[in-house]
Amino acid sequence: MRPFLKIKIIILKLKKYFTMKVENLTIESAHKGLKNGEFTSVELTNAYLKKIEERDEEIKAFITVTKDLALAQAKEADEMIKKGEMTILTGIPCAFKDNYLIKGEKCTAGSKFLENYIAPYDATVVKKLRKQGAVFLGKTNLDEFAMGSSCEKSAFFKTKNPVDLERVPGGSSGGSAAAVASDMCVYALGSDTGGSIRQPASFCGVVGFKPTYGTVSRNGIIAFASSLDQAGPITKNVIDAQIVFEAIKGVDEYDPTTLDYTDNEKLSDIKIGVPKEYFTDGLDKEVEKAIRNAIDDYKKMGAQIIDISLPHTQYALACYYIIAPAEASANLARFDGLRYGQNIDGIIENRTKYFGSEVKKRIMLGTYTLSSGYYDAYYKKALKVRTLIKNDFDEAFKKVDVILGPTSPCLPFKIGEKQEDPMAMYLSDIYTVSVNLSGLPAISIPSKNKGLPIGIHLIGQSFKEKTLLKIANNYGK
Ligand code: GLN
């Protein structure tokens, strides 16, 4: 090649590097760009890495940026594209909550306990996305072991809400939501035990989707409460959420709770249920207004709005905060410094030194409610209440296709505002936990209000994610 031509190519490449805009790219639009040869995956990946360099010092969404891995994967993706082996996710940069194992990379779960832990294998979701040629930009911040609603309980640092830097991004998948909202990745993966995908999505003004329990494998995601944990995407729009869901779902021999299903539901006239118990005193007025407006919008679109009742809603939080810590106390027993994690000189010393206060609190609560003498009074009773909560939903779904309400009772709060008051923090999970207790799919989509982001929470029937996503996607169209 003539030197002149070579220099020209280098200049063109540099120009693209400095001018390429990643703002508002979705999976669909990035896929189009890659397919039409407007940019390569390496160029796209470099543009996102640059964005992370520029913005993450302030936002602090990433615990680890896996630059070398991302660039190697981007190169491979470009080869796949050249050979015509492209899927919709090939070459597109994403991020993972730091409780997903990526082989050979650090996985901390936001805890000092796992500060130096290197994952020995890929989580099933990671494996599936890797196979499709996805590009992994890094691992995002979370409340320690996914226990929290603000990302302030991470052992490393606090992530900021990109919409307002004085506020929390929500939690526990706050890093993933903040990364998507600030264009530091096209989409991200989160985990949702009691709202951890939907609430941060609501706080950051993006889409967060928790599929039906069992549709996506939990294998290789560090367990919090196994009967509630669910993997899912945080994205810019509903279509992207559906794309990622389709790519990660399916039966997994390593997770016996995964199921396969077919969902051919046709959507003719939509019936949306509005539970009276969701509009009570604790609901912020601004949030209520945004949700009432969303209900009106759906009405104008031709949907039927039906008043429903979920009478056991008031017990959901108490029930969740017994069951989740009980399961957590059993799951976290493996972190002793011998099998996993940091080791100084003894199991008690390790657990005393490397677990944070919220995690210790939950282990103690969980051990207490499972102990003989208290098991019947707390744990067993909570299981019974869980069935009652699930029955409420079953009844409601005889009359409606989806249930609409707020994702969170409050606006994104200021950093530090609720840290000293655990009850206030737990209360922000009021609308999300009953969904996990019942295994249902649910999505948070941004409302149209001006000002701080407010999420509309749509709850669907088990395995009817297509219906749910269709109704969510229709919003505002
Ligand atoms: N905020 C809830 C809790 O602290 C939910 C967390 C989650 O979904 N991982 O338990």
Side-chain angles (χ1 to χ4, degrees), residues 255-398:
D255 179 355
T257 56
T258 49
L259 304 153
D260 205 1
Y261 67 96
T262 42
D263 175 2
N264 298 317
E265 197 78 0
K266 292 247 177 323
L267 197 76
S268 36
D269 56 336
I270 309 166
K271 290 195 194 82
I272 297 178
V274 178
K276 65 168 190 261
E277 292 81 2
Y278 284 11
F279 296 86
T280 49
D281 283 350
L283 178 60
D284 181 280
K285 288 285 161 260
E286 219 177 311
V287 176
E288 175 164 3
K289 198 169 149 219
I291 301 305
R292 297 241 184 244
N293 286 342
I295 295 170
D296 282 346
D297 289 341
Y298 269 112
K299 209 190 250 169
K300 279 183 209 140
M301 285 159 53
Q304 262 187 70
I305 307 295
I306 297 176
D307 290 330
I308 58 164
S309 172
L310 299 170
H312 295 93
T313 300
Q314 57 174 318
Y315 304 113
L317 264 186
C319 177
Y320 172 85
Y321 276 100
I322 290 173
I323 292 176
E327 293 187 21
S329 71
N331 274 327
L332 267 60
R334 61 172 70 96
F335 300 104
D336 51 17
L338 305 173
R339 286 171 289 179
Y340 289 97
Q342 308 254 37
N343 193 357
I344 30 175
D345 41 18
I347 295 173
I348 293 172
E349 288 80 353
N350 294 334
R351 287 169 72 87
T352 307
K353 179 151 184 218
Y354 295 115
F355 278 144
S357 60
E358 183 66 28
V359 174
K360 283 181 190 157
K361 192 197 304 168
R362 303 229 188 169
I363 292 173
M364 284 191 267
L365 274 173
T367 321
Y368 179 79
T369 58
L370 287 177
S371 59
S372 102
Y374 297 102
Y375 180 93
D376 283 352
Y378 294 105
Y379 185 70
K380 204 167 153 196
K381 205 176 222 168
L383 289 185
K384 288 181 183 168
V385 174
R386 182 178 188 170
T387 305
L388 295 174
I389 291 169
K390 170 83 173 71
N391 291 347
D392 282 355
F393 280 113
D394 289 346
E395 272 310 304
F397 283 126
K398 286 182 187 160

Side-chain angles (χ1 to χ4, degrees), residues 146-149 172 192-196 224 320-321 362 429:
M147 297 173 190
S149 311
S172 61
D192 192 313
T193 305
S196 276
F224 166 6
Y320 172 85
Y321 276 100
R362 303 229 188 169
D429 302 331

Side-chain angles (χ1 to χ4, degrees), residues 64-337:
T64 310
V65 177
T66 51
K67 186 177 172 183
D68 293 345
L69 172 64
L71 287 171
Q73 285 178 313
K75 256 190 209 155
E76 274 174 41
D78 283 331
E79 284 303 313
M80 284 171 79
I81 295 167
K82 255 191 227 153
K83 282 195 227 149
E85 291 165 3
M86 188 180 197
T87 73
I88 188 140
L89 292 175
T90 306
I92 299 184
C94 64
F96 290 90
K97 184 176 183 176
D98 203 17
N99 57 356
Y100 280 70
L101 303 191
I102 300 180
K103 189 176 178 182
E105 302 294 340
K106 241 172 39 177
C107 187
T108 69
S111 179
K112 286 271 174 210
F113 218 118
L114 294 176
E115 195 170 8
N116 305 312
Y117 177 65
I118 306 286
Y121 63 93
D122 275 344
T124 299
V125 170
V126 170
K127 212 188 284 172
K128 284 189 179 217
L129 292 175
R130 200 194 275 281
K131 219 166 142 195
Q132 296 222 14
V135 172
F136 304 162
L137 289 170
K139 312 289 297 293
T140 57
N141 199 21
L142 66 157
D143 293 291
E144 187 174 0
F145 286 104
M147 297 173 190
S149 311
S150 67
C151 240
E152 293 167 292
K153 301 282 182 192
S154 162
F156 303 114
F157 45 80
K158 296 178 178 59
T159 299
K160 293 178 181 156
N161 190 325
V163 180
D164 178 342
L165 297 173
E166 284 184 9
R167 292 176 192 266
V168 302
S172 61
S173 317
S176 283
V180 174
S182 57
D183 298 299
M184 293 195 282
C185 58
V186 184
Y187 66 98
L189 276 299
S191 65
D192 192 313
T193 305
S196 276
I197 289 176
R198 292 160 288 155
Q199 186 254 22
S202 165
F203 277 17
C204 293
V206 291
V207 169
F209 176 43
K210 173 223 171 283
T212 307
Y213 179 78
T215 50
V216 180
S217 172
R218 292 176 290 113
N219 172 53
I221 301 170
I222 295 175
F224 166 6
S226 305
S227 79
L228 304 162
D229 293 347
Q230 183 60 58
I234 296 180
T235 54
K236 291 262 164 66
N237 61 27
V238 178
I239 300 279
D240 280 5
Q242 168 128 31
I243 293 170
V244 180
F245 173 59
E246 292 296 330
I248 60 176
K249 70 175 192 187
V251 176
D252 177 12
E253 61 177 317
Y254 297 110
D255 179 355
T257 56
T258 49
L259 304 153
D260 205 1
Y261 67 96
T262 42
D263 175 2
N264 298 317
E265 197 78 0
K266 292 247 177 323
L267 197 76
S268 36
D269 56 336
I270 309 166
K271 290 195 194 82
I272 297 178
V274 178
K276 65 168 190 261
E277 292 81 2
Y278 284 11
F279 296 86
T280 49
D281 283 350
L283 178 60
D284 181 280
K285 288 285 161 260
E286 219 177 311
V287 176
E288 175 164 3
K289 198 169 149 219
I291 301 305
R292 297 241 184 244
N293 286 342
I295 295 170
D296 282 346
D297 289 341
Y298 269 112
K299 209 190 250 169
K300 279 183 209 140
M301 285 159 53
Q304 262 187 70
I305 307 295
I306 297 176
D307 290 330
I308 58 164
S309 172
L310 299 170
H312 295 93
T313 300
Q314 57 174 318
Y315 304 113
L317 264 186
C319 177
Y320 172 85
Y321 276 100
I322 290 173
I323 292 176
E327 293 187 21
S329 71
N331 274 327
L332 267 60
R334 61 172 70 96
F335 300 104
D336 51 17

